[in-house]
Amino acid sequence: MSMNRREFLKIAGISTVVGLGGTAAFTKIRESALEAAQIAPNTLALKAKQWAMVIDMGKFKSEETIKKVINACHRIHNVPDIGNPKDEIKWIWTETYGHAFPGQEHKYMSEDMMHKPFLLLCNHCTNPACVRVCPTKATFKRKDGIVMQDMHRCIGCRFCMAACPFGARSFNYRDPRGKDANGNPFIKEENKEYPTRMIGVVEKCTFCVERIEKGLKPACVEESNGALVFGDLDDPNSEVRKILGSTYTVRRKPELGTEPNVYYVIGGNGYAIVPELL
Amino acid sequence: MKIYDGGKIFIGLVIFVALFASPFYLNMGKAIAKPELKFDTPEIQRLEKETGKKQCVEPKEFMRGGHMQMLNNWRDEVVRMGNRDQIVIAGQKFDKSLQLACMKCHSNKKDFCDKCHNYMAVNPYCWTCHIQPKEKQS
Ligand code: SF4
Ligand code: SF4
Ligand code: SF4
């Protein structure tokens, strides 16, 4: 049988389509048979392209609320309280304005602003420096923008700590399940639904990935009485985008190019009004 | 041919071989008892009552040799791919999790995990991070 080029291509094309379709159908049948028997798909997970947070400092009415927020995170994630700043482990913590936004402070700032505790946590950067340096890919960026750390893979090299310009990561110098000199455990009360870490690994905020995937908002957000807002940066109708589009917000050290995804509303407090001019 | 100090060398060799082989002849004829695992924790009994059978996420034969690969896959799916689909056994849903699934039924780590791991002289470090349940009498 003789065949010209055109015919050959036609037949080749058709058989490819049939072939592909055939295997696809086959795989589909096999998958559904397997899944029907034993897998219940997780339908609860909250979805996003890039999770982000807005921290409205003006909405924190007392330091108590801030402490409550920090405790909520550290309690459910079994973050040890080592009790000295050198070995300290922190997922969410406070700093002064000058430390949180270096270069932005000046000596004429209101006392309140200068000493107010600002809440800091991992920024789940769009361009995370920690991910670039991690030699084992223990730290990686998920499809929803969360910068996640696989504790099974962390070798404790601490490159990520050197790379992160926000001090968001802590190294376990001590065994987190250990006790202090007085015999008090570093983890006051273990949350049995979450693991601890071991000596020699680095840890940080996970944006509560284990909660998001069960349809819950991060624990700190829930505890904050509306001061922390969580949402998808990619969705113009999300709560975070509405705040970002209507209020002046700042990020920590944007000049470094990591594109942090935690935004701050610094918050007015009446100090700016000069009485003589009224 | 003459071996200098042949006698001493020979005695030395005999002692060395005797010591080196001692584990073999000392244990000869004594079979170490195979580990007997217990599958009767309160949780497993409850599952059996509710569903009519004792059933794990995979058959016993697979779990014996393959549980570590399965746990590895679960970890990759959950931690790295964010796939938290659940596994259904006889209508009951289980997370893909050592701490939140396996150990919820096998709440007897000493009579379950440790028995085999000790027998095989392996020392997995799952529990340096994953919290084991309080040991119960089974
Ligand atoms: S804040 Fe630091 S640890 Fe968090 S993603 Fe950015 S670079 Fe990484
Ligand atoms: S300490 Fe762990 S997470 Fe950080 S860079 Fe090293 S391996 Fe990666
Ligand atoms: S998002 Fe979750 S892990 Fe991160 S600081 Fe808030 S409570 Fe902690």
Side-chain angles (χ1 to χ4, degrees):
Chain A
M1 187 183 83
S2 75
M3 199 195 286
N4 66 21
R5 203 176 132 92
R6 193 181 148 78
E7 276 167 354
F8 171 75
L9 284 176
K10 261 192 196 158
I11 293 171
I14 288 167
S15 39
T16 311
V17 168
V18 169
L20 280 180
T23 43
F26 177 68
T27 331
K28 198 93 222 128
I29 290 164
R30 233 184 34 185
E31 265 173 14
S32 57
L34 268 179
E35 275 168 11
Q38 39 184 330
I39 303 286
N42 176 16
T43 49
L44 300 170
L46 305 178
K47 298 219 166 62
K49 282 244 172 71
Q50 172 66 61
W51 288 115
M53 194 183 280
V54 177
I55 301 184
D56 189 341
M57 288 310 301
K59 286 209 176 128
F60 281 113
K61 294 299 172 225
S62 70
E63 256 180 71
E64 279 312 301
T65 327
I66 292 190
K67 283 211 187 96
K68 246 178 65 197
V69 166
I70 295 175
N71 286 342
C73 172
H74 288 185
R75 193 181 59 241
I76 66 163
H77 295 121
N78 292 326
V79 177
D81 176 10
I82 308 282
N84 76 67
K86 189 180 125 305
D87 302 333
E88 164 184 56
I89 310 280
K90 53 187 173 35
W91 285 25
I92 176 164
W93 70 105
T94 57
E95 270 295 356
T96 57
Y97 181 84
H99 283 149
F101 304 96
Q104 299 296 315
E105 77 280 22
H106 54 79
K107 59 182 176 181
Y108 306 110
M109 268 169 75
S110 74
E111 282 284 308
D112 172 72
M113 192 52 86
M114 222 179 266
H115 300 299
K116 190 182 205 162
F118 277 78
L119 257 192
L120 310 183
L121 67 158
C122 169
N123 290 287
H124 296 272
C125 306
T126 303
N127 227 340
C130 53
V131 171
R132 288 188 62 164
V133 298
C134 179
T136 62
K137 288 200 160 58
T139 285
F140 60 100
K141 195 163 173 69
R142 289 166 37 113
K143 280 202 200 80
D144 60 2
I146 292 180
V147 174
M148 176 75 173
Q149 197 183 339
D150 181 351
M151 293 301 166
H152 306 90
R153 252 194 220 195
C154 176
I155 55 170
C157 67
R158 289 182 276 156
F159 286 4
C160 54
M161 288 176 74
C164 172
F166 304 98
R169 296 171 159 268
S170 313
F171 182 68
N172 283 280
Y173 287 98
R174 310 281 302 269
D175 176 4
R177 290 190 183 179
K179 293 181 171 132
D180 64 13
N182 302 324
N184 298 321
F186 294 138
I187 303 173
K188 298 277 155 332
E189 208 180 307
E190 271 178 348
N191 173 11
K192 303 260 189 264
E193 305 292 297
Y194 200 79
T196 66
R197 268 67 58 200
M198 63 186 286
I199 190 168
V201 297
V202 167
E203 61 182 88
K204 69 166 190 81
C205 152
T206 61
F207 252 4
C208 282
V209 79
E210 82 284 2
R211 292 171 58 89
I212 291 174
E213 286 182 345
K214 298 271 176 199
L216 300 166
K217 290 215 166 144
C220 54
V221 173
E222 261 183 17
E223 239 4 80
S224 70
N225 295 336
L228 306 190
V229 177
F230 187 73
D232 184 4
L233 207 56
D234 202 56
D235 171 9
N237 294 316
S238 69
E239 222 183 320
V240 281
R241 278 291 294 280
K242 282 189 184 142
I243 299 175
L244 296 183
S246 60
T247 315
Y248 178 66
T249 49
V250 290
R251 295 181 292 173
R252 298 180 65 202
K253 307 183 189 175
E255 69 280 8
L256 296 176
T258 68
E259 294 288 336
N261 287 306
V262 175
Y263 292 79
Y264 291 84
V265 179
I266 299 297
N269 48 21
Y271 283 97
I273 304 161
V274 184
E276 297 92 275
L277 297 182
L278 286 177
Chain B
M1 192 184 73
K2 175 164 171 42
I3 302 175
Y4 293 102
D5 287 334
K8 283 183 198 158
I9 291 173
F10 185 70
I11 293 170
L13 270 178
V14 169
I15 294 174
F16 169 74
V17 171
L19 280 180
F20 192 75
S22 61
F24 296 100
Y25 58 75
L26 284 180
N27 286 325
M28 212 152 42
K30 273 189 260 169
I32 301 287
K34 268 207 287 181
E36 288 293 333
L37 303 190
K38 291 201 170 149
F39 299 94
D40 53 1
T41 62
E43 293 81 2
I44 295 179
Q45 287 175 2
R46 196 181 328 125
L47 186 78
E48 193 182 8
K49 221 184 247 163
E50 280 167 20
T51 65
K53 53 183 169 176
K54 284 184 189 176
Q55 201 189 330
C56 194
V57 290
E58 293 282 350
K60 205 189 239 175
E61 293 66 36
F62 172 83
M63 289 307 265
R64 237 178 237 152
H67 66 282
M68 49 302 238
Q69 278 97 340
M70 191 198 72
L71 286 171
N72 236 4
N73 290 345
W74 279 7
R75 177 202 58 196
D76 286 346
E77 284 171 21
V78 171
V79 178
R80 301 204 73 91
M81 298 182 238
N83 168 349
R84 287 190 201 233
D85 294 347
Q86 289 179 305
I87 293 171
V88 188
I89 315 161
Q92 302 229 1
K93 285 183 184 166
F94 292 89
D95 281 329
K96 291 181 283 193
S97 166
L98 172 70
Q99 190 176 329
L100 300 179
C102 305
M103 306 299 288
K104 290 257 154 116
C105 279
H106 301 286
S107 54
N108 53 345
K109 175 168 173 280
K110 282 210 185 82
D111 276 330
F112 188 70
C113 316
D114 293 354
K115 275 253 169 93
C116 267
H117 292 159
N118 290 342
Y119 180 75
M120 301 298 290
V122 290
N123 188 15
Y125 46 92
C126 314
W127 296 279
T128 52
C129 293
H130 293 287
I131 299 174
Q132 70 187 75
K134 246 208 162 98
E135 216 50 58
K136 282 184 212 133
Q137 284 304 313
S138 55

